Amino acid sequence: MARRYRDAAAKLQQSVQKHLQGMKELSSSEDDEPFEPSVLDGVFQSYCKGGGDTQLLNRTKNLLEEAISGRSITCLICISSIKRADAIWTCEHCYSYFHLSCIQKWANDSISLRSEENQGPVTVLLPKKVEWCCPKCRYSYNKQQIPHKYRCYCGKTDDPPLHPWLIPHTCGEVCGKFLSTGNNCKHKCLLLCHPGPCPPCPQTVNGTCYCGKEVKRIRCSASKWSCRQLCKKILPCNTHKCEIECHDGECPQCNYTSLQSCQCRAEKAKRPCDDLIWHCKKKCNRPFACGYHVCEKVCHSSDCGDCPNSGVKSCPCGANQRFIQCPDTIETCVGTCNKKHENCEHNCPNKCHKGPCPPCQVVIEKKCQCSTHTRSLPCYKEFKCETKCRGTRPCGKHGCGRKCCNMNCPPCEKICDKPLQCGRHKCTTVCHHGPCYPCPLESKVYCRCKETYVTVPCGRERYTKPPKCSLACKIKYKCGHIDENKHKCHFGDCPPCKAVCNKQYEKCEHRCVATCHENVSVVFKQVEKPATPWEVQPPKTKIVALKCPPCEIPVMVTCFGEHETDNQPCHTASRKPCGRQCGRPLACGNHKCELSCHLYEANADYPNVPYTCKPCNRECLVVRPPKCTHKCAKQGCHPGPCPPCNILERIPCHCGVTEIYVRCRELQNATEEMLSCKQQCPKSLECGHRCKNLCHSGSCGQNQVCNKKTKIHCPCGNLKKEAACKAVRNMEVQVICDGSCEAKKVAAQLEKEKEAKRLKELEEERNRRELEEYTWKLSGKKKKYKEKKIVVVTDNRNWLQKYWFPILCVLIGVLSAIYYIFNV
């Protein structure tokens, strides 16, 4: 009992420690919570069926999985994890999380930096939009959108409290945002307050395809779809139709050409249908309403309007205005022009005149371009002094030297003459600032045979691979095989010789079929192990002539016993045992040699190989004659046939009653009469009577007719008759039932029914007595019950007596209907 108590206490203590460890892990990491993926599968089950924006749905699902799983999310501003109880802000575009304090500091810093950009020596007060952007997606927000409150995802609740059974930073209420902004969708999100975008609208509506030909039930978020038929919308040319499949957006431009008129309808040209508006180069030349002037506009489609020479006109200086009618013109007045010159601030002092004003003649103090000297000159003249510029040209090497320079020195006109990067030529361009351009000349890079080359910029020869030459290599092989080793031009060593050696071997008549080995590069390595590191010698490569390899040409070689022929390399060809049995017939003529493969005759080249077969020492195994079970009289294996067997055999006769003695050799040719006991056969025929023939072989009844008397009955078994067995088997004699059989059958049936009725009455009497006894036991009083007679009422009326009233009603109804039809 104590031991069992200790075990239970230890198990309980272990369970408590395990529970405490789990609580400790839960308190140390409040963000780790169990997550069941099947929960989200049930939530999004209705959204996954029937199409819709799958990408947006997967984005919402991934953000929900991330929020439910409890994995820590990192704030991209402070690079620290966001806890469940921290105040956050979510971007409306990328739905990323940030600490509320971090995003406020980020937005204020961004706006302050943008404001400092406008401060400078000259402040231009232009309305400039100051914005701040999301740290992750760079989506822009204005200054009024800086977050000041911590809100849930759906924006309904400020400072949502932390709830252990809700997703962090949610209020637990229905989201209620509109699911789709386009296509007039008015459905709202029915999920609880959640991070990320709302899923696409799962409601089904009647959606029309892009071309408007078909309508079917489809998701509200994807109410537009393609029916895969040709669009057939009229293109802007009003002539052709769109020939692509049902598509979203506007139809593409027409690719056909047609005969089109210009805007003034004066010319026609064959032009693309996507460019319907075009102008010819002719002037309109249509007369105005005045009848004196014509329209000077180039080809146009609108009305020419009124004559530009009629209406309220003013003199050239603009002092006098009056209404004139074409062809009248207004003349100059006597006043001063007083128009402002285009290049200065002075007014024209001349009288009112037509055309441009003359150059300004007002004398003013002018400075030269280099601002060194001052002189009084007319306003329209430029002043240049003779002072030379001491500045440096843009090349940074040569002086300017130009008279009256305004510090915008012209580019240098001298030649650079610096050595270029190629190291061969010098720069031939005008002196310039910075590095010189690459050498404009070209060089040639040749192959090894100097027959093929490529042209590259000068100085790039070292970095350019030589061209691939398609000509034959001109280097000759030392072995003399030139025709067999033709290859293209290349750099480096030529490939090894591929020709066949074709030298004859000394020990055989074959020729060497190996690749040429007269000049082969062989690597010689140090064989002896060096004692010190400085004794290590590097491998050396030498070109040497190698010997021909062993002859590998296959030669036909037969085994010792001449059982099989095999191909062996010439240098190792020799006769060998094949491993099979010898198989040569022995002297007995019945068996074969069972020794391993050996020679048939003595051979001096193979003195240790046996060449004689082992003699036969078996018993005679010749198949005995049929029905003979004795061994051969000679016993040992012998040539020729075995002698006849003279042993007596005791064999039963055909009927098996008597045994007969016959010699084994006579048994092979014994006749049926020899094996018969000459007594009547004890077997029975098929009909059941005994066979009448003497002892014989085979089945009984052949060539024999059974005429014994046998009884035959009628089908009901009442009548019987004697007849021959043959006639009964051939159905020649039959007994037919008569009236007595039928009477007997009826009597038997009545007797059966009477017996059944008697048994039924006995059963009812037994049941009645049992009921009386059971009732008497329950009542406790001894009462005498009178037997009740059961009267069975039988209805002996015919069908007319039973159903006369319904038949009468039907007849009256039929007669009334006939009377109504014919009289009305």
Side-chain angles (χ1 to χ4, degrees):
M1 185 65 183
R3 180 179 180 184
R4 186 182 301 176
Y5 174 76
R6 287 196 302 272
D7 293 343
K11 189 174 182 181
L12 182 61
Q13 188 67 20
Q14 185 179 2
S15 178
V16 170
Q17 293 296 332
K18 185 177 180 181
H19 178 69
L20 292 176
Q21 183 67 21
M23 293 297 293
K24 183 178 180 181
E25 292 177 358
L26 183 62
S27 62
S28 62
S29 178
E30 61 179 1
D31 291 337
D32 295 336
E33 293 184 356
F35 169 60
E36 186 67 28
S38 61
V39 175
L40 284 184
D41 295 340
V43 172
F44 290 99
Q45 185 177 5
S46 59
Y47 293 92
C48 298
K49 299 177 181 178
D53 192 351
T54 309
Q55 185 176 3
L56 186 61
L57 181 63
N58 291 336
R59 188 178 182 184
T60 306
K61 189 175 180 180
N62 293 336
L63 288 173
L64 263 177
E65 286 180 358
E66 185 177 359
I68 295 175
S69 62
R71 294 190 295 268
S72 60
I73 302 171
T74 304
C75 177
L76 298 181
I77 299 176
C78 63
I79 317 299
S80 62
S81 60
I82 300 174
K83 301 297 182 181
R84 295 170 58 96
D86 294 344
I88 67 167
W89 174 82
T90 307
C91 178
E92 298 176 358
H93 188 258
C94 64
Y95 302 100
S96 299
Y97 309 147
F98 306 95
H99 288 114
L100 183 62
S101 58
C102 294
I103 199 65
Q104 288 175 348
K105 187 176 183 302
W106 171 276
N108 292 325
D109 292 347
S110 299
I111 291 175
S112 62
L113 290 175
R114 294 288 180 90
S115 301
E116 290 177 359
E117 293 178 358
N118 297 332
Q119 298 178 2
V122 178
T123 304
V124 181
L125 297 177
L126 294 175
K128 188 172 182 181
K129 190 176 182 181
V130 180
E131 295 179 343
W132 61 279
C133 59
C134 173
K136 183 177 181 181
C137 65
R138 298 298 174 184
Y139 183 73
S140 298
Y141 295 91
N142 55 29
K143 188 175 181 180
Q144 288 73 23
Q145 291 178 324
I146 298 177
H148 299 288
K149 295 182 179 180
Y150 167 43
R151 293 186 176 181
C152 63
Y153 294 115
C154 65
K156 295 178 182 178
T157 306
D158 295 342
D159 298 327
L162 177 63
H163 196 283
W165 299 107
L166 292 179
I167 298 175
H169 317 295
T170 60
C171 61
E173 298 180 3
V174 177
C175 178
K177 295 181 181 178
F178 285 103
L179 293 176
S180 302
T181 57
N183 300 329
N184 299 323
C185 176
K186 301 299 181 182
H187 305 118
K188 295 183 178 180
C189 180
L190 300 179
L191 296 177
L192 297 181
C193 183
H194 60 87
C198 294
C201 184
Q203 301 293 336
T204 55
V205 294
N206 290 328
T208 310
C209 65
Y210 295 120
C211 64
K213 294 180 182 178
E214 293 186 8
V215 178
K216 68 177 182 180
R217 300 290 292 179
I218 199 168
R219 292 281 189 184
C220 180
S221 58
S223 57
K224 289 292 185 179
W225 51 282
S226 176
C227 62
R228 300 300 179 185
Q229 299 181 14
L230 295 181
C231 180
K232 295 297 183 181
K233 289 182 180 179
I234 301 298
L235 296 176
C237 64
N238 295 326
T239 305
H240 304 101
K241 296 181 179 181
C242 181
E243 297 294 336
I244 63 176
E245 286 185 356
C246 179
H247 58 89
D248 188 13
E250 297 181 358
C251 296
Q253 296 179 351
C254 183
N255 296 326
Y256 295 97
T257 57
S258 60
L259 192 64
Q260 303 171 10
S261 300
C262 64
Q263 294 297 307
C264 65
R265 305 292 178 182
E267 293 184 5
K268 289 186 176 182
K270 196 171 185 180
R271 294 173 54 79
C273 286
D274 57 350
D275 188 11
L276 300 175
I277 300 174
W278 68 284
H279 304 272
C280 64
K281 297 181 180 180
K282 293 181 180 181
K283 291 185 178 181
C284 181
N285 288 330
R286 283 185 284 183
F288 290 110
C290 64
Y292 296 98
H293 303 95
V294 294
C295 181
E296 296 293 333
K297 296 179 181 178
V298 183
C299 175
H300 63 90
S301 60
S302 60
D303 187 15
C304 296
D306 298 332
C307 179
N309 296 318
S310 298
V312 178
K313 299 294 181 181
S314 62
C315 63
C317 68
N320 299 321
Q321 291 185 352
R322 63 174 178 167
F323 181 82
I324 61 173
Q325 186 70 31
C326 187
D328 296 339
T329 58
I330 190 168
E331 299 296 335
T332 58
C333 65
V334 294
T336 306
C337 177
N338 207 25
K339 288 183 180 179
K340 194 173 184 179
H341 289 285
E342 295 180 357
N343 299 326
C344 64
E345 299 179 354
H346 305 115
N347 296 330
C348 180
N350 296 332
K351 291 183 178 181
C352 179
H353 60 86
K354 295 181 179 180
C357 297
C360 182
Q361 299 293 335
V362 179
V363 178
I364 59 173
E365 293 288 333
K366 279 197 170 186
K367 286 187 177 182
C368 62
Q369 292 183 0
C370 63
S371 301
T372 306
H373 303 280
T374 304
R375 184 179 295 179
S376 298
L377 290 173
C379 182
Y380 74 94
K381 287 186 178 181
E382 292 183 0
F383 176 38
K384 290 185 179 182
C385 67
E386 297 296 327
T387 305
K388 292 184 179 180
C389 179
R390 296 182 181 181
T392 305
R393 300 205 176 193
C395 64
K397 301 177 182 178
H398 305 99
C400 177
R402 190 175 65 167
K403 292 182 180 180
C404 193
C405 181
N406 57 357
M407 300 308 291
N408 291 327
C409 301
C412 188
E413 298 176 355
K414 296 182 179 180
I415 303 300
C416 179
D417 206 29
K418 283 184 180 179
L420 299 177
Q421 293 181 354
C422 63
R424 301 176 185 175
H425 309 98
K426 294 183 178 181
C427 181
T428 57
T429 59
V430 180
C431 187
H432 56 85
H433 185 72
C436 300
Y437 287 100
C439 183
L441 302 179
E442 295 181 346
S443 299
K444 295 181 180 179
V445 179
Y446 291 92
C447 67
R448 188 172 185 178
C449 66
K450 306 297 181 182
E451 297 292 338
T452 305
Y453 64 89
V454 292
T455 304
V456 297
C458 184
R460 299 292 299 176
E461 299 90 343
R462 292 177 296 174
Y463 309 103
T464 305
K465 292 183 179 180
K468 292 183 179 180
C469 182
S470 59
L471 302 177
C473 181
K474 296 181 179 180
I475 302 175
K476 295 183 179 180
Y477 284 82
K478 295 181 181 180
C479 59
H481 299 124
I482 299 175
D483 297 335
E484 295 86 348
N485 295 290
K486 290 182 178 180
H487 56 278
K488 295 181 180 180
C489 177
H490 61 91
F491 285 88
D493 297 334
C494 291
C497 180
K498 298 179 182 179
V500 180
C501 179
N502 206 25
K503 290 183 180 179
Q504 187 171 356
Y505 289 99
E506 297 178 357
K507 297 182 180 181
C508 62
E509 298 178 355
H510 304 124
R511 292 182 176 274
C512 179
V513 295
T515 308
C516 179
H517 43 78
E518 288 189 7
N519 293 280
V520 181
S521 179
V522 181
V523 179
F524 293 91
K525 295 183 180 180
Q526 186 177 4
V527 179
E528 297 179 359
K529 188 175 181 180
T532 57
W534 50 85
E535 293 183 0
V536 177
Q537 298 180 1
K540 298 180 181 179
T541 304
K542 294 183 180 180
I543 297 176
V544 298
L546 301 178
K547 295 182 179 180
C548 293
C551 182
E552 297 289 342
I553 297 176
V555 179
M556 303 293 289
V557 179
T558 308
C559 65
F560 291 145
E562 298 181 358
H563 300 112
E564 61 180 25
T565 303
D566 188 16
N567 291 329
Q568 297 182 7
C570 180
H571 70 283
T572 58
S574 62
R575 296 184 68 180
K576 299 177 182 179
C578 62
R580 300 181 183 178
Q581 293 183 356
C582 175
R584 294 186 66 185
L586 300 177
C588 64
N590 299 326
H591 302 98
K592 296 181 180 180
C593 179
E594 295 181 355
L595 295 178
S596 181
C597 178
H598 59 84
L599 293 172
Y600 294 156
E601 297 177 356
N603 193 338
D605 296 336
Y606 306 97
N608 298 325
V609 179
Y611 56 89
T612 55
C613 296
K614 184 178 180 180
C616 181
N617 55 359
R618 301 182 183 180
E619 296 181 357
C620 180
L621 299 177
V622 179
V623 179
R624 304 299 295 162
K627 300 182 181 180
C628 179
T629 59
H630 311 106
K631 295 183 179 180
C632 177
K634 293 185 177 182
Q635 294 183 356
C637 186
H638 59 86
C642 298
C645 182
N646 293 321
I647 299 175
L648 291 174
E649 286 283 346
R650 188 169 64 177
I651 299 173
C653 64
H654 295 304
C655 60
V657 176
T658 309
E659 292 182 349
I660 303 172
Y661 290 90
V662 182
R663 292 191 178 276
C664 184
R665 59 184 174 82
E666 296 177 353
L667 187 62
Q668 308 299 327
N669 300 322
T671 60
E672 184 178 355
E673 187 177 356
M674 291 175 60
L675 299 177
S676 177
C677 62
K678 306 299 187 295
Q679 299 179 9
Q680 185 179 358
C681 181
K683 298 178 182 179
S684 300
L685 300 175
E686 294 179 357
C687 60
H689 303 118
R690 185 176 178 181
C691 180
K692 295 182 178 180
N693 295 337
L694 299 178
C695 179
H696 61 87
S697 62
S699 59
C700 299
Q702 297 179 357
N703 300 325
Q704 186 177 173
V705 178
C706 182
N707 292 322
K708 284 191 174 183
K709 296 292 182 177
T710 184
K711 293 180 180 180
I712 184 173
H713 297 267
C714 66
C716 65
N718 183 31
L719 303 178
K720 61 181 179 179
K721 183 180 178 181
E722 289 187 354
C725 183
K726 176 184 176 183
V728 173
R729 288 175 60 83
N730 295 335
M731 304 296 291
E732 295 178 359
V733 179
Q734 294 181 356
V735 179
I736 301 173
C737 294
D738 54 2
S740 60
C741 295
E742 186 68 23
K744 188 175 181 181
K745 189 185 299 184
V746 171
Q749 184 67 24
L750 292 174
E751 186 66 25
K752 187 176 181 182
E753 293 178 356
K754 187 177 180 181
E755 182 64 21
K757 185 177 180 181
R758 188 182 66 82
L759 293 176
K760 185 177 180 181
E761 291 177 355
L762 291 176
E763 182 68 21
E764 292 177 354
E765 181 65 21
R766 190 183 306 109
N767 293 339
R768 187 182 63 81
R769 291 180 180 177
E770 290 179 356
L771 180 61
E772 289 179 356
E773 186 177 356
Y774 179 72
T775 306
W776 179 77
K777 288 181 179 181
L778 288 177
S779 60
K781 298 179 180 180
K782 296 182 180 180
K783 295 182 180 179
K784 293 183 179 180
Y785 293 92
K786 295 182 179 180
E787 295 182 358
K788 296 182 180 180
K789 294 183 178 180
I790 299 173
V791 179
V792 180
V793 180
T794 56
D795 191 359
N796 296 325
R797 296 179 298 172
N798 55 15
W799 67 273
L800 186 60
Q801 293 174 348
K802 292 180 181 180
Y803 307 107
W804 65 271
F805 184 74
I807 294 172
L808 181 60
C809 293
V810 171
L811 290 176
I812 292 172
V814 172
L815 293 176
S816 300
I818 294 171
Y819 176 78
Y820 178 76
I821 292 170
F822 285 101
N823 291 335
V824 177

